[in-house]
Amino acid sequence: MSNYVYPRFPYVCSAEQRSGTLRRHPVVVIGAGPIGLTAALDLAAHGQPVVVLDDNDTVSIGSRAVCYAKRPLEIWDRLGCAAPMVEKGVSWNIGKVFFRDQLSYQFDLLPEPDHRWPAMINLQQYYLEEILVDACSRNPLVDLRWKHRLVSLKQTDDCAVLAVETPDGIFTMEAQWVIACDGANSDTRRMVGAEFKGQFFQDRFLIADVRMKAEFPTERWFWFDPPFHPGQSVLLHRQSDNIWRIDFQLGWDANPDEEKTPERVIPRIRAMLGETTEFELEWVSIYQFACRRIDNFRHGRVLFAGDAAHQVSPFGARGANTGVQDIDNLAWKLALVLRGEAPESLIDSYHEERAYAADDNILNSTRATDFITPKTRVSRLFRDAVLDLAQHHAFARPLVNSGRLSTPTPYVASSLNTPDNASVPAAMTPGTNAADAPVTVAGKPGWFLNCLGSGFTVVTFDKSVTADQLSIDGIATRVVVVGRDIDDGKGLLGQRYGASPGTTYVFRPDHYVIARFPQFDEAGIADAVRRACGKPGTIQQELAA
Amino acid sequence: MSLTLTPNIGDPDDFYAELIGGQRDLSDEEALRMNARLVLLLANHIGDRAILSEAIRLARSPGG
Ligand SMILES: Cc1cc2nc3c(=O)[nH]c(=O)nc-3n(C[C@H](O)[C@H](O)[C@H](O)COP(=O)(O)OP(=O)(O)OC[C@H]3O[C@@H](n4cnc5c(N)ncnc54)[C@H](O)[C@@H]3O)c2cc1C
């Protein structure tokens, strides 16, 4: 029924399989979904060659991710992919929530002006993956291999040994590090014996993609208990190419095989859209949702990311959005360790920071799911009471939860942060991802995030600083002086960073703040960079001496 | 501040009559809906999370 033509990527027998030579690769990524592809691009951006194995030869099939939030777009921009996504996708800001036949309330994502990327875009997952595959195939450091299925994995002291099946049979390869991005049913997770625990929701959802020329505005519409689908919820979202996503909550008793048939699906959609709207089914699936997480993101030399590490219900659009941030967190750490610039223990901070973020996402998704599908009669009464009140009174609107916008989880308690100096105002504390702002670079308008690059960066509001680079234990740390290298013409950078003359921030390669100082404090900066590399700081060393 | 557990309602009999009277002609289902709305309205008025937590705890087991 689909009009979308799935690309077929060519299978190529690798030189190592053909010649039967055992090769040890620095990094092998399992799975070329959005997360594995992003992992490849991010490692390559850090100068690291990477092999990606995928058991299939095309992009994501059917109705999956739709919404991508600002932070993943910033990350994909660092990897050179965000512009085509935004261009192909649909931007939206208004969300409406209906209860029965009434508009309960509406929200506006109201993106703060003067940011480069929108708060949210909608784009079919297959288009997103096409863009990522295209970027990978143009990157000489990325070796993307289709029809390569991981069938077994063993770990020795210094590498992982992978058995990989292709149309030409099974061969063995070695990897110093493996990034498992093979999705919610991860084979790799099973191979290392990791636990994946959490909650399955006793409910089923019909997810339909529908092609129509509709009158609906480009807004997110969510219905609780609508007349056309009583007792359940419905979500409508616009994607590109006049494709609309409709989610129908079906309840636990629904028969998934029957509900998927056009004879059942078409009347549901007709009841919603009215008799006169012409539409065509593009894809239909039935899902049961779950919120689960792996016990540890690191199992020896195998690192888990994306759905292989955590699964969330889609309310709030957190799956791919959070998986991309796993990679943002991991890639620079792995590159530093592979180059011998940081101790291997730095990798443990990946679990520390991203398990914390996964738990935050799971909490948000579970709360949204509990609101949308109340588990008891009384919780349903409270849910309906919130919706009734929200229609008339502002106070109840923040209680309505049809999914919360995915925003990055700050690593507030991370061991990589340098304890904060309270004399800089609050907003951008260590552990927070860098806020963007319009700036001028060499007389041309640009964006602050694009000035941060792929290493450690010091940004100082002290114009007397002359250094443009510091070498900290051999790690090149760029110095950007506001007023010398970039201009803050609108004053927004200074405002967003609570800066006064002298204020100095230190950013990690994934653009999180690790430290800030009232002055350009070279010793403090060096200490902060060491700490963020997982090395003991000089202060601790002195104490130990 | 903590949850007020000493008498605080000016005219207790009148308040109680109003609370019960407000539900007299409602079905059980409607009354439960009304109660849910009432809880939410009052909770928002109080606002203070610590006090709300204490109230939820005490409502569940009145002896504390
Ligand atoms: C209905 C629905 C709506 C959603 N909406 C959103 C949304 O709006 N926003 C959002 O951010 N997320 C959303 N998600 C979640 C999103 O789809 C996932 O989080 C995302 O696909 C995870 O990407 P991944 O790369 O980790 O895994 P996957 O996309 O599952 O990719 C895994 C890849 O690994 C390959 N693979 C598996 N096993 C092997 C093996 N043994 N060897 C080699 N390769 C293997 C597979 O072929 C596949 O290509 C939604 C999901 C659903 C179901």
Side-chain angles (χ1 to χ4, degrees), chain A residues 99-100 377 380-382 384-386 388-389 393 395-396 399, chain B residues 28-29 32-33 35-45:
Chain A
F99 182 40
R100 310 218 167 95
R377 175 159 175 254
R380 186 176 194 99
L381 284 169
F382 271 115
D384 290 353
V386 167
D388 272 337
L389 290 164
H393 305 290
F395 90 84
L399 296 171
Chain B
D28 279 1
E29 175 74 18
L32 285 171
R33 287 182 185 283
N35 282 350
R37 288 194 288 263
L38 186 61
V39 167
L40 293 169
L41 283 159
L42 296 177
N44 181 67
H45 185 81

Side-chain angles (χ1 to χ4, degrees), chain A residues 509-520:
Chain A
D510 57 358
H511 302 170
Y512 275 71
V513 176
I514 50 171
R516 45 192 203 158
F517 305 97
Q519 284 94 34
F520 186 80

Side-chain angles (χ1 to χ4, degrees), chain B:
Chain B
M1 263 238 309
S2 60
L3 184 67
T4 305
L5 292 170
T6 49
N8 192 35
I9 298 174
D11 189 344
D13 290 347
D14 190 58
F15 160 71
Y16 195 78
E18 186 178 342
L19 180 65
I20 300 304
Q23 312 201 324
R24 179 149 300 144
D25 52 347
L26 300 183
S27 68
D28 279 1
E29 175 74 18
E30 285 166 337
L32 285 171
R33 287 182 185 283
M34 175 179 155
N35 282 350
R37 288 194 288 263
L38 186 61
V39 167
L40 293 169
L41 283 159
L42 296 177
N44 181 67
H45 185 81
I46 293 163
D48 186 316
R49 282 292 287 109
I51 293 188
L52 292 173
S53 297
E54 206 184 334
I56 290 169
R57 192 172 55 78
L58 277 188
R60 196 179 154 98
S61 61

Side-chain angles (χ1 to χ4, degrees), chain A residues 196-200 290-293 362:
Chain A
F196 194 52
K197 283 206 289 215
Q199 184 182 1
F200 264 95
C291 283
R292 299 186 285 174
R293 149 155 112 65
I362 287 172

Side-chain angles (χ1 to χ4, degrees), chain A residues 105 367 371 382-383 385-387 389-390 394-402 404, chain B residues 40-41 43-44:
Chain A
Y105 87 111
R367 285 174 171 175
F371 192 89
F382 271 115
R383 201 281 305 273
V386 167
L387 291 167
L389 290 164
F395 90 84
R397 288 168 202 159
L399 296 171
V400 175
N401 189 348
S402 67
R404 300 272 181 236
Chain B
L40 293 169
L41 283 159
N44 181 67

